[in-house]
Amino acid sequence: MQYQIKILLLSFVITIITSLAIIPILKKLKVGQMERTEGPQSHLGKQGTPTMGGIIMILVITVLTGFLCYDYIKDNQSSVAKNLIPIAAVSIGFGLVGFIDDFKKLVLKNTEGLKPLYKMIGLLIFSVAFVLYITKVLNIGTETYIPFIKTYFTLPVWLYIPFAILVLLGTSNAVNLTDGIDGLATSVTALILTCLTVIGIILTCLTVIGIIFNIKEIVVFGSITIGTCLGFLLFNLNPAKIFMGDT
């Protein structure tokens, strides 16, 4: 548990430092929030606030994941590193799709940004690649554990793959729909990630119905992202100094 807290605090501090460096750059580039005139009048005061701040989270996640993977490989725990990479890759990939959308809207001044169809295709490509990798390369199996009834359901691969892809697409778009008020998406995401990370810690310490869990990579990545969310939240609370944007 101490190890996870150290990762969380490290992620938190690095995110704060990165934010302090990136926010002035985004201000100088005039990458500002655009508010619709038909929306609440109170939101017009947010006009010009630097956005595309999700790039801070992408940078921190990339650097910390790379560092930890190197550390695990050096410590003869290459299996953890091998399992950590796809989780980070799909998260960063989703962020890059949002970055393209923000870049088109804010830098290229294309008000439409990335068309919804192209955005979904981008997310679908990363989702399919991730699910195929974990099922065909890592061979994690298709057992789906339902904690409330303490039962496993072994889904056929042809059903598990589209189900997992749907979960990825659904949750990523759920975050996008949740966002809208200063600090909302970041705080909600931090709470949910904390819950999932704690479940990961519990399962790592337990053997359930004869299955030995070894999901250290879930706990590690959860700790990284919680710290990143909390660090970003300091600058995203009302009045926000930066917005996450679609990134």
Side-chain angles (χ1 to χ4, degrees):
M1 190 69 175
Q2 286 183 345
Y3 182 68
Q4 288 86 19
I5 292 171
K6 285 179 182 177
I7 293 172
L8 193 154
L9 291 174
L10 181 63
S11 175
F12 177 72
V13 171
I14 293 174
T15 303
I16 291 172
I17 295 168
T18 308
S19 299
L20 291 171
I22 295 289
I23 291 173
I25 295 171
L26 293 176
K27 279 184 178 178
K28 191 174 286 187
L29 294 173
K30 296 182 179 178
V31 183
Q33 176 81 358
M34 295 183 293
E35 293 293 339
R36 296 178 180 177
T37 52
E38 64 269 21
Q41 293 299 304
S42 59
H43 284 199
L44 294 177
K46 301 177 184 181
Q47 191 90 12
T49 303
T51 189
M52 208 157 68
I55 196 168
I56 294 167
M57 307 177 88
I58 290 176
L59 287 170
V60 175
I61 288 170
T62 304
V63 170
L64 268 180
T65 302
F67 171 75
L68 288 172
C69 282
Y70 170 76
D71 195 49
Y72 278 123
I73 291 169
K74 194 173 69 173
D75 201 31
N76 293 320
Q77 296 188 64
S78 56
S79 61
V80 179
K82 191 170 78 170
N83 293 344
L84 186 57
I85 289 169
I87 303 170
V90 72
S91 304
I92 294 164
F94 277 16
L96 291 175
V97 173
F99 173 78
I100 294 168
D101 188 28
D102 281 338
F103 189 83
K104 287 192 72 175
K105 282 189 289 191
L106 302 166
V107 178
L108 302 181
K109 305 302 179 186
N110 181 333
T111 52
E112 285 188 6
L114 193 62
K115 291 183 179 179
L117 176 62
Y118 296 155
K119 188 184 289 187
M120 287 304 295
I121 289 172
L123 297 176
L124 185 63
I125 289 169
F126 284 110
S127 299
V128 170
F130 174 75
V131 175
L132 289 178
Y133 185 83
I134 63 171
T135 52
K136 302 297 182 181
V137 179
L138 296 183
N139 295 313
I140 66 165
T142 63
E143 294 86 2
T144 303
Y145 183 63
I146 312 298
F148 306 106
I149 55 176
K150 296 182 180 180
T151 304
Y152 264 99
F153 288 102
T154 303
L155 298 173
V157 175
W158 60 266
L159 181 60
Y160 179 84
I161 290 174
F163 168 72
I165 292 168
L166 185 65
V167 169
L168 283 165
L169 294 175
T171 48
S172 64
N173 280 284
V175 175
N176 198 25
L177 291 170
T178 301
D179 201 10
I181 299 175
D182 298 6
L184 180 61
T186 327
S187 58
V188 169
T189 303
L191 288 170
I192 293 168
L193 285 171
T194 301
C195 176
L196 293 173
T197 304
V198 169
I199 291 171
I201 292 169
I202 293 168
L203 290 179
T204 304
C205 299
L206 292 177
T207 302
V208 182
I209 56 171
I211 303 294
I212 300 172
F213 287 90
N214 185 14
I215 50 174
K216 188 182 287 185
E217 63 278 356
I218 297 291
V219 177
V220 167
F221 191 73
S223 301
I224 293 172
T225 45
I226 293 164
T228 307
C229 284
L230 293 176
F232 187 83
L233 187 59
L234 290 180
F235 300 90
N236 191 223
L237 286 172
N238 186 35
K241 294 178 179 64
I242 190 167
F243 294 120
M244 199 185 301
D246 273 347
T247 311

